Amino acid sequence: GVKPGMRVLDLCAAPGGKSSQLAAALQGQGLLVSNEYVAARAEILKSNLERMGVSNAVVLNETPARIAAALPEFFDRVLVDAPCSGTGVMNEKPDVKYRVTAQSVDELVQLQSNLLDAVCPYVKKGGTLVYSTCSVLKDENVRQAEKFLARHPEFELLPLPETIPASVRQYETTGLQLLPQRDGIEGFYMCRMRRKKA
């Protein structure tokens, strides 16, 4: 739902593919803030956005808390494509099955929860927060979104847009979980939430 003139944040932006799509939707109008916490990845992000000719993006290498302090209720749209286990892309990255453990998933679930809590202050009233992962684990996905909504009653669940094909949108509950074996694509989760106006 990004439109020209909006202020948009891509919180976990490297290497820049999502940010370049957001910039295209802005059509050179408005502001895109692309943040990457890991300094080396932030440099890659900056280089990729320059190479793609994105002119209205500011690349940051900041913590979520520092952004919240500087830009409260500033953004119309916030994307949190969170660090995750990667269990939805094991076909492309088979090493995932060797590095994912119960402990590493628990740590990621806590990190995702912290990121979601941290972005709340960024989103202006009536603004939209999109949370996504490339995981198929419910703790990282639907349960994470449900817990966030329970902690933050100032946010409400939004249905996914009509641009999502009906063949997969029929599986939408609290967000949408895509599954490789059912949908013929990578495992991916997305949830759209709005900060209430009142």
Side-chain angles (χ1 to χ4, degrees):
V2 172
K3 296 181 175 60
M6 285 184 171
R7 295 182 292 202
V8 180
L9 172 68
D10 184 356
L11 184 68
C12 308
K18 300 177 301 292
S19 282
S20 65
Q21 290 185 326
L22 293 168
L26 287 170
Q27 299 176 19
Q29 302 170 49
L31 173 68
L32 172 62
V33 176
S34 299
N35 183 69
E36 177 54 48
Y37 178 69
V38 179
R41 288 174 54 82
E43 287 300 316
I44 294 168
L45 168 65
K46 183 178 178 184
S47 174
N48 284 339
L49 291 178
E50 287 173 356
R51 182 176 50 80
M52 289 183 268
V54 175
S55 60
N56 60 330
V58 175
V59 175
L60 299 181
N61 172 221
E62 286 291 352
T63 65
R66 284 176 54 93
I67 298 172
L71 301 169
E73 293 190 31
F74 184 78
F75 293 101
D76 300 288
R77 302 287 185 267
V78 173
L79 171 61
V80 181
D81 186 26
C84 71
S85 63
T87 53
V89 293
M90 278 197 274
N91 286 342
E92 299 291 323
K93 299 177 182 176
D95 63 300
V96 168
K97 67 183 83 166
Y98 300 111
R99 60 181 170 79
V100 173
T101 64
Q103 180 181 347
S104 70
V105 170
D106 288 345
E107 290 169 358
L108 285 164
V109 167
Q110 186 60 57
L111 173 62
Q112 294 154 1
S113 177
N114 293 346
L115 287 172
L116 284 169
D117 288 344
V119 300
C120 292
Y122 310 168
V123 185
K124 66 195 296 187
K125 289 181 174 65
T128 303
L129 167 63
V130 172
Y131 172 71
S132 63
T133 73
C134 57
S135 171
V136 295
L137 303 178
K138 288 184 178 181
D139 283 349
E140 294 185 90
N141 297 336
V142 64
R143 290 181 191 135
Q144 187 72 268
E146 288 171 349
K147 288 177 181 178
F148 170 80
L149 289 165
R151 289 192 310 273
H152 295 280
E154 71 273 23
F155 281 83
E156 61 188 350
L157 185 66
L158 281 179
L160 292 170
E162 296 293 317
T163 52
I164 304 292
S167 60
V168 293
R169 207 170 59 245
Q170 66 178 312
Y171 302 113
E172 184 176 2
T173 58
T174 303
L176 174 63
Q177 178 69 66
L178 301 173
L179 298 170
Q181 69 276 17
R182 183 190 68 202
D183 305 314
I185 54 178
E186 292 180 336
F188 193 77
Y189 175 79
M190 63 196 96
C191 183
R192 193 165 71 144
M193 297 167 277
R194 176 171 53 204
R195 187 169 188 168
K196 298 172 185 174
K197 292 184 178 178

